[in-house]
Structure formats: structure tokens, C-alpha cells
Amino acid sequence: MMNQQEESNNRKRSIDDINTKEGPFDQLKIDNDQILKQVQQRSPCPICKKTVKYFCYKCYQIVGMQRSDIPQVELPIHLDVIKHHKELDGKSTAVHAKIIADKDVDIYTWPDVPQFEQPERTLLLFPGPGAKQLKDIPRDSFDKVVVIDGTWIQARQIANNTPILKKMQCVTIAPRQTHFWRFQNVNDEHLATIEAIYYFYREFSETFEDSSYDGRYDNLMFYYKFFYQLIQTTYRKNKSVKFNHRHQQKDYIKYE
């Protein structure tokens, strides 16, 4: 049997090769985000009228730009996101998927969940002892995927207290290193929601569409990359900002 160090090394080796010294997203085929950099002020959401920047977290509306300015991705299977009711809208990255793949994504606030007439034909992206990788699940056995959005504690609460989710096929993805810019009290393999969504569709492509992945779902990370770089740039320019010891240990800001 492998000891803990060997197992950890193996997990790290399985992390995708996009984590390069040049930058974690440099090898992805993500559209130019110059349009986002040009947004200087907040604008009213066309639905709720709240003034926001880039997009409205509640109405999923783009503001300050046209929809044609933002890349659109067509997903091969429908995605339902179940967001914990206490998850702050501003912290949720699941909305990125809704903006980028509007026709293929729906977001629900728990305990409001869809009926799922055939839950056995739905994948639940959630780690657990019974979770399988996509390569071990027949493609003709599922029609959609569900992702839970919230902290790890909130996600477990939803999974444990929503009976219909227990009828779904549980799927997991290979271990990856998160690049989320907010501190979390768990290890760096606990991904932000949009990271988990992206890697799921990437593995879907590698498993069922084309083993040599061509980047067709990389734009799911369009906003995520932009915000990551925005945070990095902001703190690099203001090195007087002090982090607590937990942030320092996580090495969040990559100073040049």
C-alpha cells in the first residue's frame, strides 16, 4: 500500500498541466477579456435595476456590455445548479456558467429543486465513497448533471437533506488544484463551483467526444480568469496590504 506522501504525490501529478509557471490559465483557449477591462462603473440591471458591475448575480443579466461581447458556450448536457440559500450571491461562481451557457444552465436556490422526473438518469457531481468517474459511467445512462453551489458544509447539508439527490448517479472528477482567490478552511483541491463545472465538461469531452481535448469548453472560465487576474494585479500593485498567516500559507497572491 502507498503511504500518505506517495498518495499525495500521485494526486499532485494528476493535476492538469495547465498549472504552469506562466499562469494557471495561459494554455486555455479563453477569449480576450479586454471588454471586461473597459467596464469602469456600475450599471443598472435591466430587470431588477440594481446597479452592478459586469453582470447581475440575481437576474443573470449582463450589464455595461452586449451579450454578443461575451463568449457563449454550448454544453453537451444540461446543467442544473442547486445553490444553498445562505451562499452569498457575490461569492457564487456558478453564475459564470449561467452567463456563458445561458440556454444550457438553470440555477435553483435550495430547498427549491426541480422535480427530476428521472433522477436515475441524472449525474450528481459530488465526491463520496460511491462516486464514479465518467469513464466508468455509460454515456447512454444519463441526460443531465447537477452541481451543488455553496461551502463544503452547505453542500453536504444539501446532499444529505434532499432525498431526490440520493437517487442520482454520483460522479466525481480527477483531483485538481483550485485557483480560487478567497480563503477556505479546506485543502487546495476543494474547487470553486465554476472550476468543478469546467473540469466536468472537459472530462466529458475527453471521455465521450474527443480524447484529444480541443478547448471547446474553456470559455466557461472566461469570468473566472478575469477575476483571478484582477485580484492578482490589485494586490501586486499594493504590496502594503497585509495577509493573515492562513492566506500566506495558501500563497494566494503570486508576487513577481
Side-chain angles (χ1 to χ4, degrees):
M1 294 181 63
M2 292 186 296
N3 60 36
Q4 289 185 341
Q5 184 61 48
E6 290 174 329
E7 183 176 358
S8 176
N9 290 339
N10 285 342
R11 287 169 67 84
K12 291 302 181 184
R13 281 193 290 270
S14 72
I15 292 174
D16 197 85
D17 61 3
I18 68 169
N19 300 329
T20 67
K21 63 181 180 181
E22 290 81 11
F25 309 104
D26 289 355
Q27 294 186 22
L28 299 186
K29 296 179 180 178
I30 299 177
D31 284 14
N32 188 294
D33 60 6
Q34 185 60 35
I35 187 66
L36 297 178
K37 296 175 183 177
Q38 294 173 357
V39 177
Q40 299 297 318
Q41 60 186 16
R42 294 172 176 266
S43 301
C45 169
I47 295 180
C48 70
K49 308 306 179 184
K50 180 180 179 180
T51 56
V52 293
K53 200 172 184 180
Y54 309 117
F55 54 79
C56 179
Y57 280 92
K58 291 187 176 181
C59 304
Y60 317 126
Q61 296 293 306
I62 296 172
V63 298
M65 297 165 283
Q66 301 297 319
R67 180 164 289 278
S68 58
D69 294 327
I70 304 300
Q72 296 296 298
V73 173
E74 183 176 342
L75 301 179
I77 61 170
H78 192 84
L79 167 66
D80 284 335
V81 176
I82 301 178
K83 185 170 78 75
H84 195 277
H85 63 283
K86 291 186 178 180
E87 174 74 350
L88 298 177
D89 289 331
K91 291 182 63 178
S92 172
T93 61
V95 67
H96 300 182
K98 177 63 177 175
I99 298 294
I100 297 295
D102 177 57
K103 295 180 180 178
D104 299 315
V105 179
D106 288 309
I107 299 179
Y108 302 86
T109 302
W110 188 76
D112 176 28
V113 299
Q115 291 296 317
F116 295 113
E117 295 181 0
Q118 292 183 296
E120 69 282 357
R121 293 192 56 81
T122 300
L123 300 181
L124 174 63
L125 182 58
F126 194 79
K132 299 179 180 179
Q133 293 186 325
L134 279 171
K135 64 182 180 63
D136 299 317
I137 301 176
R139 174 61 189 93
D140 60 2
S141 71
F142 61 90
D143 304 310
K144 66 166 52 180
V145 60
V146 170
V147 173
I148 299 174
D149 185 33
T151 66
W152 180 235
I153 293 176
Q154 291 170 347
R156 284 189 296 182
Q157 182 183 6
I158 291 176
N160 293 334
N161 294 281
T162 311
I164 199 166
L165 298 185
K166 300 180 185 299
K167 299 179 181 180
M168 298 178 180
Q169 302 182 66
C170 203
V171 64
T172 187
I173 56 178
R176 314 279 184 172
Q177 179 179 344
T178 185
H179 295 287
F180 199 36
W181 48 87
R182 291 189 174 93
F183 177 78
Q184 56 183 5
N185 281 307
V186 289
N187 67 45
D188 60 4
E189 290 176 4
H190 283 72
L191 305 179
T193 304
I194 190 60
E195 290 179 301
I197 291 170
Y198 163 68
Y199 283 121
F200 170 83
Y201 283 103
R202 176 165 179 158
E203 291 188 10
F204 179 96
S205 181
E206 294 168 340
T207 304
F208 301 115
E209 295 178 332
D210 189 347
S211 58
S212 56
Y213 176 67
D214 60 5
R216 67 187 66 181
Y217 304 121
D218 288 2
N219 270 324
L220 286 170
M221 301 290 277
F222 178 73
Y223 284 106
Y224 192 81
K225 175 187 176 183
F226 171 74
F227 288 128
Y228 174 88
Q229 293 180 331
L230 179 64
I231 294 296
Q232 295 290 319
T233 300
T234 299
Y235 283 96
R236 284 173 183 169
K237 290 181 178 179
N238 187 5
K239 294 185 179 181
S240 63
V241 175
K242 302 297 182 182
F243 298 97
N244 64 43
H245 70 282
R246 297 186 302 176
H247 285 79
Q248 291 171 341
Q249 290 173 349
K250 288 285 187 178
D251 193 22
Y252 277 92
I253 307 302
K254 310 298 181 183
Y255 288 117
E256 297 175 337

